[in-house]
Amino acid sequence: MATDKMSKKPLLNTLDVTSAPVGVIDIGSNSVRLEVFSSRGRNLVPMFNEKILAGLGRQIVSTNRLNKDGVERALAALSRYRTIADSLKVGDLHVVATAAVRDAEDGDEFVRQASERCGTQVRVLSGKDEARLTALGVLSGIPGAKGLVGDLGGGSLELLSVDNDQIGQGTTLRLGALRLMDEAGGKINKAKRLVDEALSDVAWLGQMAGQRFYAVGGAWRTLARIHMDNTGYGLRVLQHYVIRRDQALDLASLVASLSRTSLRQISSVPKRRIDSLPFSAAVLQGLLKSVKLKEVVISAYGLREGIIFDSLPKQLQQRHPLVDGCREMAKRLSQIPEFGSDLFAWTTPLFASFPCDESEDDKRLREAACHLNNIAWRAHPDYRGQMAFREAAFAPLVGIDHHQRIRLGLTVMSRYDAVTVPRLEGRVPSLTSDDKRRARAIGLAFRLGARLSGGAHGILGDCMLEPKGKALVLRIPKARASLVGETVEKRLNALASVVKLEPKIQIGT
């Protein structure tokens, strides 16, 4: 049995954040994956992401050894991944192994061979470390998450409670899909009984009733894709995709009952998951029934992202990933990235009280939108609004739910005075009239600020936009009076109309 000889040491050194790519090779019981991120930070952007379903943990219950074919596939993949990591000039490459390698009697020999292929020592995580890092990954992508985190792999199921960025109780159960399939002899009804028995032994799970369930792992992401297909969902982003309890139960029950022939007909099911997916669904079904969870929230962030998050300095960990992610997008897409910070400060006096006191979530979303204010400037003028909406709504961002994605897209779209949301194939979250009005107003404020300053950094700091009684007052210092023109007046009028105030320009000293 392989063990983590360094489990009492930090998994990663705390390094200065650099722009060099960072990579994680995750050797799981079912899959082996390399994910390379463009840099270490709060919003991780994958520049390479590949997995193979090696099936290391197949028959581990009956043989207590790693699957022979799986070992060959895994070692071949590791050689390839090392070459790719070198070609991408990855600065830090972290290689971890989980349940199958941890539990198999030939795990140490596999670690030796895998370390040679990778050119670095493979770290075998304990169940406790795996669970903690997975929870950190979820919390890094969904700040403030409260409920139950479940990471289903091929060999184990990690469960932890989280509450406002704190990790609570946790446990590791031998309910991984491959292990469960092996132990149940391929019989789904027996597997369901094994799931119920294992969950009944975890007393603290009863405290999770009515909470959200944050689902981590490729099998459950596959279930989410099936749900998107079945419901005609148009915003095809897995991160923070929410499935109601009743719908999740129906889905899990259905998939658990499907034959191999039926599963082959579902395009979103990978061929190498066909055998194990019903058992993954049985685990989800058992959790929803036993714990009476409120809803399922898909987290694309998990172990790998938790490893990176764990390596960041505390000061960086405390920053919000949405704002950092939009700031990084602005560096790549905007004409003058610094202008976003100008806009945020300039629009705050108006939106802190419009149409009611701005919540922290509203404020953060406005700050994110400020950084994306001109991301479509290179597009044809007739299509800038549509492009801005799609860039924002479908961006690789975390710290944002699907409802907020639509709000963000609508806000930056309005900066180009576009009013028609691009047609998406399928349903999307609907916004309230207040949400739409706020998004429209922020976008029009961007238009005004951009026209007033020419989009140049530093000018808006000399001006002020604020509500005064029934007026929306634009204060311009005398030295900047030449900035006022017909277009500025027109855009101030448009904004004032939406916020239901009278436009007024004051030229001061």
Side-chain angles (χ1 to χ4, degrees), residues 339 343 346 444-456 460 491:
F339 185 62
L343 270 180
W346 187 69
L444 290 177
F446 292 173
R447 283 178 65 75
L448 172 60
R451 183 58 63 183
L452 176 66
S453 65
L460 290 182
R491 294 191 175 184

Side-chain angles (χ1 to χ4, degrees), residues 111-346:
V111 168
R112 184 188 68 77
Q113 295 183 61
S115 297
E116 288 180 359
R117 298 293 183 102
C118 294
T120 189
Q121 180 64 36
V122 175
R123 295 188 173 184
V124 183
L125 300 179
S126 67
K128 184 177 180 180
D129 280 344
E130 183 181 355
R132 181 184 70 85
L133 290 167
T134 297
L136 283 179
V138 172
L139 290 171
S140 72
I142 309 177
K146 180 178 181 180
L148 179 66
V149 171
D151 181 9
L152 181 67
S156 64
L157 170 67
E158 273 67 49
L159 294 172
L160 294 102
S161 63
V162 292
D163 187 353
N164 195 27
D165 297 335
Q166 298 298 313
I167 300 174
Q169 300 181 82
T171 190
T172 297
L173 301 176
R174 295 191 170 192
L175 291 178
L178 295 181
R179 179 186 290 274
L180 183 61
M181 183 171 62
D182 190 11
E183 189 171 353
K187 305 297 183 182
I188 196 68
N189 287 333
K190 182 178 179 181
K192 290 180 179 180
R193 290 195 296 272
L194 292 172
V195 170
D196 291 342
E197 290 169 5
L199 293 176
S200 66
D201 291 336
V202 186
W204 62 268
L205 284 178
Q207 303 169 23
M208 296 289 102
Q211 301 280 354
R212 290 183 173 88
F213 178 59
Y214 298 92
V216 180
W220 285 341
R221 289 195 296 272
T222 297
L223 292 178
R225 290 189 184 97
I226 294 173
H227 187 263
M228 286 179 170
D229 290 341
N230 290 348
T231 59
Y233 192 70
L235 189 54
R236 307 286 290 196
V237 176
L238 284 171
Q239 174 68 9
H240 217 299
Y241 179 64
V242 178
I243 308 175
R244 294 199 325 252
R245 170 187 166 80
D246 59 333
Q247 294 182 351
L249 266 172
D250 288 345
L251 174 65
S253 177
L254 173 64
V255 174
S257 68
L258 292 179
S259 66
R260 285 174 52 87
T261 301
S262 297
L263 287 169
R264 286 195 191 99
Q265 307 305 311
I266 303 175
S267 60
S268 51
V269 178
K271 291 181 179 179
R272 295 186 66 86
R273 282 204 192 275
I274 287 175
D275 288 339
S276 62
L277 191 62
F279 296 87
S280 302
V283 176
L284 180 60
Q285 183 181 14
L287 273 167
L288 290 169
K289 285 184 175 180
S290 299
V291 188
K292 295 181 173 54
L293 296 160
K294 174 184 176 182
E295 60 191 13
V296 176
V297 180
I298 301 298
S299 174
Y301 271 34
L303 174 63
R304 295 177 295 279
E305 292 78 12
I307 289 171
I308 305 301
F309 181 79
D310 197 42
S311 75
L312 298 178
K314 289 292 184 183
Q315 184 178 5
L316 185 53
Q317 287 181 349
Q318 292 169 359
R319 283 159 52 171
H320 199 279
L322 175 61
V323 175
D324 273 18
C326 290
R327 189 179 288 116
E328 288 301 314
M329 281 184 66
K331 290 179 181 178
R332 293 183 289 106
L333 300 176
S334 294
Q335 284 176 299
I336 304 175
E338 299 83 1
F339 185 62
S341 296
D342 291 356
L343 270 180
F344 179 62
W346 187 69

